[in-house]
Amino acid sequence: MKKSVVSKEYQKLQKDIIELQEQWKTSLDPDCVRPNLDKAAMEAGVPVTALAAIDFDISLFLQWIEDIGALLSKYQPEIETSMQSLKNLLDEETAKRWIDEAFAFNYIYFASFAEENDLDGWIPQFVAETVLRPYLQLTAVKVQDEIHHGVHGAGCPVCGEPVRLAQLEGEGKKVLHCPRCSAHWNDRRVACSHCGNNDHETVKILTIEGESAAQIQICEECKGYTKVIDTRQYIVKPTPAMLDLNTIHLDFVAQEHGYKSAGETKQTN
Ligand SMILES: [Zn+2]
Ligand SMILES: [Zn+2]
C-alpha cells in the first residue's frame, strides 16, 4: 500500500490549516470558554462542548476567515472572489448561527447557505468547521483532566466527532485521540471503539504491509474502524490532527474494505 493516496498538495494545505489553527488558538482569551461539566449528561454521551458557554469574538472570526481565505487562495486562486463575498455576507448574527450549526454538524444548513449565496457547496461548512476548531480545542484543554472514558457510539466526549484514531501508550493501553479537538480518553484494547463489542471473533485487526507501528481495528458488528498507531517509539509525538493527516492512507484502506468511521464529518474541497 502506497502512502501517496492523497496528493502532496492536499496534505500540504491541510498542514498549513492546522498550523493556522494553532496560531489562532493563542489569540483566544482563555476565559471565553466556560465548560459546564454535567456528569449525567456526559454519561449519556452528550459532548462537553454542547453545554459549554462560549463567548464568540466576531472580529476574530472575521480575521480568521480572511486568513483562511488567503491560504486557500494561495492553493486555488479562483477561490478569492468567493471568500470575499463570504466575508461580506457574514454579519454578527450570521456568524453566530454558523457556530451553532457547525456544532450541530448541520450539513443541510451549510449546503443551502452555499446555494442561496451562489458559493461552491463545500465552502461555508469547511470555513465554519475550520474556525470552530480553536474553540473546541480550548474547551478540551480546560476539561481534559476530567475526561477518562467515552460512551461507545457517542464519539468524542468533548466535541462529538466520530472516533477514528487511537494511540498505544504505556504497556500497550489503547488511548483514543480526537483529531478535531485534541481530547484523549481511554478505551479497552480489545473493544470496538464505536459499539463496544469485545468479541475477539468479530473485532479484528487489519495489518498494513510495511507498517509495524500502524494497525486498523475493525468490527464486524458495526462495520466501524479505528486506526491504532503505536507512537511509543516516536521521539516527538505529533498532534492528533497531524497524526490523523499522516495516516490518512489507512482511512482509505479501511474504507476500501467497507468499514467506516460512522457519521464522519468530511472536510471536502
Ligand atoms: Zn473531539
Ligand atoms: Zn463495533
Side-chain angles (χ1 to χ4, degrees), residues 192 194-197 219 221-224:
C192 164
H194 299 278
C195 70
N197 172 23
C219 171
E221 285 296 320
C222 71
K223 289 284 172 187

Side-chain angles (χ1 to χ4, degrees), residues 47 49 136 140 155-162 177-185:
T49 49
L136 301 177
C156 169
V158 173
C159 78
E161 174 83 353
H177 286 260
C178 177
R180 188 174 183 232
C181 73
S182 299
H184 57 86
W185 63 102

Side-chain angles (χ1 to χ4, degrees), residues 120-134:
D120 278 358
W122 63 271
I123 293 177
Q125 166 120 32
F126 177 82
V127 170
E129 174 63 29
T130 302
V131 299
L132 179 62
R133 286 196 183 185

Side-chain angles (χ1 to χ4, degrees), residues 28-222:
L28 282 180
D29 172 1
D31 295 328
C32 75
V33 174
R34 295 175 304 281
N36 163 26
L37 286 174
D38 181 317
K39 289 263 182 295
M42 286 167 72
E43 290 303 322
V46 177
V48 171
T49 49
L51 299 176
I54 301 181
D55 301 330
F56 187 56
D57 183 333
I58 189 75
S59 58
L60 269 184
F61 185 90
L62 294 176
Q63 180 56 53
W64 292 356
I65 291 198
E66 203 156 303
D67 294 351
I68 189 75
L71 178 58
L72 288 170
S73 306
K74 223 172 73 186
Y75 287 82
Q76 303 179 44
E78 67 279 9
I79 231 160
E80 216 168 333
T81 347
S82 299
M83 294 308 296
Q84 197 52 51
S85 53
L86 186 58
K87 215 193 148 190
N88 297 333
L89 287 165
L90 281 165
D91 53 19
E92 181 154 358
E93 198 183 324
T94 316
K96 284 190 169 142
R97 175 89 197 265
W98 270 36
I99 286 298
D100 290 343
E101 303 300 355
F103 266 122
F105 298 106
N106 190 347
Y107 311 103
I108 296 162
Y109 167 79
F110 289 107
S112 56
F113 186 96
E115 202 174 326
E116 278 161 28
N117 296 293
D118 203 22
L119 295 163
D120 278 358
W122 63 271
I123 293 177
Q125 166 120 32
F126 177 82
V127 170
E129 174 63 29
T130 302
V131 299
L132 179 62
R133 286 196 183 185
Y135 289 93
L136 301 177
Q137 290 166 7
L138 180 58
T139 313
V141 166
K142 290 198 155 191
V143 301
Q144 183 62 66
D145 287 349
E146 307 294 327
I147 302 292
H148 308 291
H149 300 281
V151 175
H152 285 130
C156 169
V158 173
C159 78
E161 174 83 353
V163 171
R164 64 174 175 275
L165 179 69
Q167 294 185 48
L168 295 182
E169 296 177 9
E171 302 295 305
K173 201 166 61 149
K174 185 172 84 175
V175 181
L176 296 170
H177 286 260
C178 177
R180 188 174 183 232
C181 73
S182 299
H184 57 86
W185 63 102
N186 302 318
D187 198 12
R188 279 169 303 159
R189 174 83 182 260
V190 293
C192 164
S193 297
H194 299 278
C195 70
N197 172 23
N198 60 4
D199 172 9
H200 62 88
E201 296 281 327
T202 47
V203 179
K204 299 178 195 159
I205 296 292
L206 275 181
T207 47
I208 310 299
E209 208 185 311
E211 297 210 35
S212 51
Q215 300 178 330
I216 306 169
Q217 190 176 43
I218 52 172
C219 171
E220 297 303 347
E221 285 296 320
C222 71

